[in-house]
Amino acid sequence: MKRTALILRTVALLLIVTAPLAPRAHREGTQRSVIYLVDGSDSISPPERARASRFVDEAFARRGTTQVGMAMFGARPELVVPVGADPAGRKLGGPYAPLPGTDIGAAVRLAAAALPDGGERRIVLLSDGRTTTDSTEALAEVRAARKRGILLDVVPLGESMASEPVVREIGTVRPHVSEGEPVEAVAQVRGAAGAEVPLVWSRDGDQISRTTVTLDSRGEGEARLDDVEADSGVHVYQAWLGQEPYDSARTVAIVSGRPRVLVLGTDGERPTLLADALERAGADLRVTALADARIDETTLSELDLVVLADLPIARAGEVTLLAGLDAQSQEALIEFTRRGGGVVVTGGTYGFAPEWGSAPIARMLPVEIEDQGELEDPRLAMAIMLDRSGSMGAYVGSHSKMELAVEAALAAAVTLEADDLVAIASIDTVTTWNQPLGPASQLPARQEAIRSIDAGGGGIYVYTALADAYAALRGASTPVRHVLLFSDTADSEEQFGGCPFAPCRDQGNSAISLAATARDAGITTSVVGIGSERDHDTQFLRDLAATAGGRFYLTSRATDLRKIFISETRAAARSNVRAEPVRLSQVSDHP
């Protein structure tokens, strides 16, 4: 008899248990129907029969628009009030004379047949679970009803069920957690007051924990589980009492993998502080140049977070190597956030520039970007330092690398305003000023002389090139001062002043520290390296650009130099720097 009652409760509690007097919210246009199935057998005590009577009377009184019916059962069920019929003021719950026998299977079968074919349908069973027939038939009828979309709720009756321990319900504190976070589940247990009840936890059918629950004076207790070993995926947690999982309840938790983060930058370089912080937070991080990324629904569906690291906005009709965030990509990111994705936007040379104010993505940003119209860019002084070492004499098609670099420098200079200042120098072991610093308007008269630059021998002396470039720009009164260094990634010599070849790390006067000092003085430096990532000087040039506040470009194709030089010059000329008088006034003290 005890096993039968446990099986009945197992079936009922595996279903969704809600308050029978307040059926759950339904979809618009769906009719709700409930039939109350009352155990009238002689195993139900008079007080419990009276409680069942009050329960059903109140349910009918509060039925509202829900269609309600009632059936009684013992050995045979009887439909007392058809579903949706007018009870005509009857006292529906009884009292009725005790009935012999208890056939729960037949009662569930009758109740299911009495419900309409569509809408939200429920059976509310009031019983002590003591059946005098084969309990497997009751289970079969419950499953058959469930297949038809009919849910079963149970209201326990009788002292035996109240005293026997039962897992009333189980739930998770957070149904969705990330990998590495604990899954926290809570099981509610009911039984005799003061009882100590053994409880078993399982994950996906495997036992993972055993504990004892002490019930309070009301016969209620709680068991908690912290599962820190669940890997990513959907997991089913089950809690039951005793040795076998007859009386149990289940819940589901979803464990996501590591958060997937895409960082988009202008050049695909790793933003050190941001990337380190994301990786310390356990993110699965990918850093990509905007030009190499495809920003659409398919790509974004695989991500949790996108970081726009100081990106420019694409301008209509403009063709440049420096890719900007186009309108289509912006709309895709906006839709990504609507679906629950995250977007972080950082500023800098390009981020939050005036053109951001009218960009589609500005609609979703928590800041207001003011576009003051076409502002005149600040004047620029720029020194272009060209490597003329022996390796630049190699030919690419019908032109040498040196010739292509010179043409790239001239094309870049043409993009400057007439009153911007520009200098062009060629460097091997010394610096030769082929175009001393002067207005860009003077450059056309010097083009033929500049085109006469040819490759020399040895490598480029980087420290000498930077020292001479900074000296040339130091006296310029322009708000923006910038150096563009072009160098061979396999032959960048004199990384320390006065020490062309041998390791000189003890001297302290490195090219990188020189660039840092220049940056503090307002002169930035970008580097264009020609070669490959594997070359022994690539990392040095990359570090140099990062320290100098500029950008690093790497290409193995000399034919790319024109696009790179033009893009870098435009980037430098479009600085967001504004040199204007600013008056500050203190409004109040800050704590």
Side-chain angles (χ1 to χ4, degrees):
M1 192 67 68
K2 179 177 179 179
R3 178 183 174 89
T4 301
L6 290 176
I7 291 175
L8 174 63
R9 287 199 300 275
T10 299
V11 173
L13 290 167
L14 285 177
L15 302 173
I16 300 174
V17 180
T18 60
L21 294 178
R24 66 177 183 176
H26 64 287
R27 295 184 300 274
E28 191 67 30
T30 300
Q31 177 62 51
R32 289 179 293 176
S33 305
V34 180
I35 185 167
Y36 292 88
L37 194 54
V38 181
D39 187 345
S41 64
D42 52 14
S43 64
I44 305 297
S45 67
E48 287 297 289
R49 291 171 61 83
R51 185 167 74 88
S53 174
R54 291 192 301 271
F55 187 97
V56 176
D57 286 340
E58 186 177 357
F60 269 84
R62 295 172 56 187
R63 67 187 182 277
T65 59
T66 302
Q67 294 184 346
V68 180
M70 173 193 167
M72 295 281 295
F73 70 94
R76 297 179 59 184
E78 177 187 354
L79 185 62
V80 178
V81 180
V83 176
D86 185 359
R90 297 178 55 188
K91 193 170 181 60
L92 299 166
Y96 296 96
L99 302 173
T102 308
D103 190 341
I104 295 177
V108 171
R109 183 166 58 249
L110 172 66
L115 288 166
D117 291 334
E120 181 182 320
R121 299 166 296 168
R122 308 182 79 88
I123 298 171
V124 179
L125 174 64
L126 293 87
S127 174
D128 62 0
R130 295 181 176 181
T131 179
T132 57
T133 59
D134 187 353
S135 60
T136 58
E137 293 182 7
L139 295 175
E141 293 298 337
V142 171
R143 294 191 186 100
R146 181 58 187 252
K147 287 182 179 179
R148 292 178 50 197
I150 300 172
L151 302 182
L152 176 70
D153 295 334
V154 176
V155 178
L157 298 177
E159 295 298 327
S160 61
M161 286 191 73
S163 61
E164 293 171 1
V166 59
V167 179
R168 187 171 59 186
E169 62 180 339
I170 177 177
T172 50
V173 176
R174 290 182 299 163
H176 195 158
V177 300
S178 298
E179 189 173 359
E181 294 183 297
V183 175
E184 301 174 78
V186 181
Q188 304 292 336
V189 181
R190 185 186 58 223
E196 293 188 352
V197 182
L199 184 137
V200 179
W201 288 99
S202 72
R203 180 203 325 115
D204 304 328
D206 297 326
Q207 294 186 23
I208 58 175
S209 176
R210 288 179 176 270
T211 187
T212 300
V213 183
T214 301
L215 306 184
D216 59 20
S217 59
R218 296 176 299 176
E220 297 179 351
E222 180 179 282
R224 299 184 66 90
L225 171 72
D226 289 333
D227 182 15
V228 297
E229 298 182 359
D231 54 11
S232 59
V234 178
H235 298 285
V236 177
Y237 288 87
Q238 187 175 12
W240 69 85
L241 305 176
Q243 299 299 316
E244 299 181 76
Y246 294 128
D247 182 28
S248 66
R250 295 178 183 171
T251 190
V252 173
I254 300 174
V255 180
S256 300
R258 297 170 61 196
R260 296 156 299 181
V261 181
L262 173 64
V263 177
L264 293 173
T266 56
D267 52 11
E269 290 299 302
R270 176 188 175 94
T272 305
L273 293 177
L274 178 63
D276 288 350
L278 288 168
E279 288 184 338
R280 283 197 302 271
D284 181 3
L285 185 64
R286 180 160 56 96
V287 181
T288 305
L290 179 61
D292 299 330
R294 183 173 180 176
I295 306 174
D296 56 19
E297 182 179 358
T298 302
T299 301
L300 295 175
S301 66
E302 300 174 353
L303 300 170
D304 299 298
L305 175 68
V306 176
V307 179
L308 308 181
D310 190 21
L311 292 182
I313 294 295
R315 300 192 184 192
E318 182 180 64
V319 179
T320 173
L321 184 68
L322 190 68
L325 193 66
D326 59 40
Q328 185 175 358
S329 298
Q330 294 174 52
E331 294 293 351
L333 287 166
I334 293 171
E335 183 61 30
F336 172 63
T337 62
R338 292 195 183 108
R339 298 196 308 268
V343 175
V344 172
V345 184
T346 69
T349 304
Y350 310 108
F352 307 127
E355 58 266 24
W356 276 74
S358 57
I361 199 170
R363 301 197 306 265
M364 75 174 190
L365 297 180
V367 296
E368 183 176 336
I369 303 170
E370 183 179 357
D371 185 351
Q372 298 179 349
E374 289 296 325
L375 295 179
E376 182 179 351
D377 287 319
R379 292 182 64 223
L380 166 72
M382 185 172 187
I384 302 176
M385 315 300 284
L386 302 177
D387 179 355
R388 65 178 297 265
S389 60
S391 60
M392 295 299 111
Y395 270 74
V396 179
S398 58
H399 298 281
S400 68
K401 291 181 181 180
M402 190 75 256
E403 291 172 332
L404 293 173
V406 168
E407 291 302 322
L410 291 172
V414 168
T415 68
L416 299 174
E417 298 294 333
D419 59 347
D420 286 335
L421 303 179
V422 62
I424 299 176
S426 53
I427 307 98
D428 45 20
T429 60
V430 295
T431 300
T432 300
W433 289 106
N434 306 96
Q435 163 67 37
L437 187 68
S441 59
Q442 299 177 356
L443 192 62
R446 300 280 304 170
Q447 285 187 2
E448 292 307 315
I450 295 170
R451 287 193 172 105
S452 66
I453 299 174
D454 58 0
I460 176 177
Y461 277 24
V462 174
Y463 189 95
T464 294
L466 293 179
D468 291 342
Y470 297 149
L473 295 178
R474 192 168 293 120
S477 59
T478 56
V480 181
R481 295 174 293 173
H482 190 63
V483 174
L484 176 58
L485 173 68
F486 168 62
S487 184
D488 189 334
T489 57
D491 200 17
S492 295
E493 298 173 353
E494 200 191 21
Q495 298 178 12
F496 291 81
C499 183
F501 310 113
C504 310
R505 298 192 180 278
D506 294 336
Q507 291 192 201
N509 56 337
S510 69
I512 291 178
S513 63
L514 181 65
T517 302
R519 180 180 183 178
D520 292 340
I523 303 175
T524 55
T525 306
S526 290
V527 178
V528 178
I530 186 164
S532 72
E533 189 68 53
R534 297 184 301 273
D535 290 342
H536 54 75
D537 295 328
T538 300
Q539 190 58 49
F540 158 70
L541 295 174
R542 188 188 304 278
D543 293 342
L544 174 63
T547 304
R551 291 155 291 278
F552 177 69
Y553 304 85
L554 177 64
T555 182
S556 59
R557 299 182 299 181
T559 51
D560 283 343
L561 295 178
R562 180 185 179 89
K563 293 184 291 183
I564 294 174
F565 276 44
I566 291 175
S567 295
E568 171 58 23
T569 303
R570 285 178 175 174
R574 281 190 193 154
S575 171
N576 293 323
V577 171
R578 294 291 179 266
E580 300 173 353
V582 177
R583 295 187 61 184
L584 301 179
S585 59
Q586 180 175 324
V587 177
S588 62
D589 292 332
H590 189 278

